[in-house]
Amino acid sequence: MTECSEIAERFARDTARLEMTVLRVDGLYRHLRFSTPEQGRIGPFELITWPYNLVVKAGWVFHFDIDATEDMFALFRRTAFSGEINPGYWSEKVRAGRDEVEGFDPELFERQVKQYVVHSIREGEAPRGIGAEVTREIFELADISHETGARAALADFRYDGWDFGDLSEWDFSDYTPGFLHCCHAIRRGIDLWDAAKAVAA
């Protein structure tokens, strides 16, 4: 299971009994709070909108804006199916919180390193014992909990004349759990808002 699907499952589980409180509505000016009463202050989030802008507050704060869409709820509805998120497109609209959108992913690092080693073995480019040496030197002894340490471990690795080559094209970043959580919060909040409006109508 990928981290993205794990976050989606955890979010769905934690917000199964979510309730919406309308703090303000004046056209496109909205302030909505979503919480689960029995959880108290654990896991609530807020959506705040005004023309061309949306802020989500869920422990993390992201501010989205786009000049082409006055109602940001319409943008998020239009760019993903109900209940689904579109982090790739939505991340392009983040104005505040950009440094929290993507970050180093240790699982992605491990996956890419192992794939590279397996490919080198299959192509006959790697020496015997390379798998055990990579496991020992990189995954057991090196500090790969952060990107600087992970890149240093790859750059320093040498075994029987073999190394990882040019690392400049390697990308170990992925969407952060906080950003994915906020994407799910936006989607769920809009769906609850739409359902409440449909009942009122």
Side-chain angles (χ1 to χ4, degrees):
M1 179 183 294
T2 66
E3 184 176 43
C4 189
S5 57
E6 287 176 5
I7 290 168
E9 285 192 8
R10 185 167 58 246
F11 182 88
R13 185 175 58 249
D14 292 346
T15 61
R17 301 183 62 186
L18 208 58
E19 294 182 3
M20 179 178 69
T21 302
V22 177
L23 301 177
R24 177 185 178 179
V25 173
D26 180 9
L28 298 180
Y29 295 84
R30 310 178 187 98
H31 188 173
L32 311 173
R33 179 175 294 138
F34 302 86
S35 60
T36 304
E38 62 267 23
Q39 291 181 330
R41 297 177 59 85
I42 299 173
F45 63 90
E46 297 181 15
L47 297 182
I48 303 163
T49 67
W50 64 98
Y52 308 103
N53 292 270
L54 179 144
V55 170
V56 55
K57 297 172 64 177
W60 304 269
V61 177
F62 292 95
H63 173 202
F64 299 79
D65 80 75
I66 181 171
D67 292 340
T69 306
E70 189 174 18
D71 182 0
M72 291 295 282
F73 277 14
L75 170 75
F76 287 97
R77 283 189 205 102
R78 189 175 68 244
T79 55
F81 293 114
S82 180
E84 300 290 326
I85 65 172
N86 186 349
Y89 181 73
W90 295 356
S91 66
E92 298 172 6
K93 311 308 174 193
V94 173
R95 295 298 172 261
R98 287 210 62 79
D99 55 339
E100 296 292 327
V101 170
E102 292 186 348
F104 173 68
D105 183 344
E107 291 182 9
L108 178 61
F109 169 79
E110 182 174 347
R111 197 162 54 246
Q112 288 188 14
V113 169
K114 288 180 176 177
Q115 287 172 351
Y116 186 85
V117 170
V118 167
H119 175 77
S120 295
I121 292 170
R122 287 182 179 157
E123 295 297 313
E125 300 166 353
R128 292 177 71 91
I130 189 69
E133 192 66 14
V134 166
T135 297
R136 189 178 77 79
E137 290 290 328
I138 294 178
F139 298 122
E140 293 176 1
L141 298 178
D143 179 6
I144 58 172
S145 61
H146 53 91
E147 185 165 7
T148 301
R151 286 191 178 275
L154 292 187
D156 294 344
F157 183 87
R158 300 286 184 282
Y159 179 68
D160 198 12
W162 187 91
D163 61 32
F164 282 94
D166 180 13
L167 302 174
S168 61
E169 298 296 318
W170 290 53
D171 183 3
F172 308 120
S173 18
D174 204 351
Y175 298 114
T176 64
F179 179 67
L180 292 173
H181 179 92
C182 285
C183 287
H184 286 289
I186 292 168
R187 181 72 261 183
R188 184 73 188 282
I190 292 172
D191 288 347
L192 287 173
W193 167 256
D194 289 345
K197 285 182 64 179
V199 168

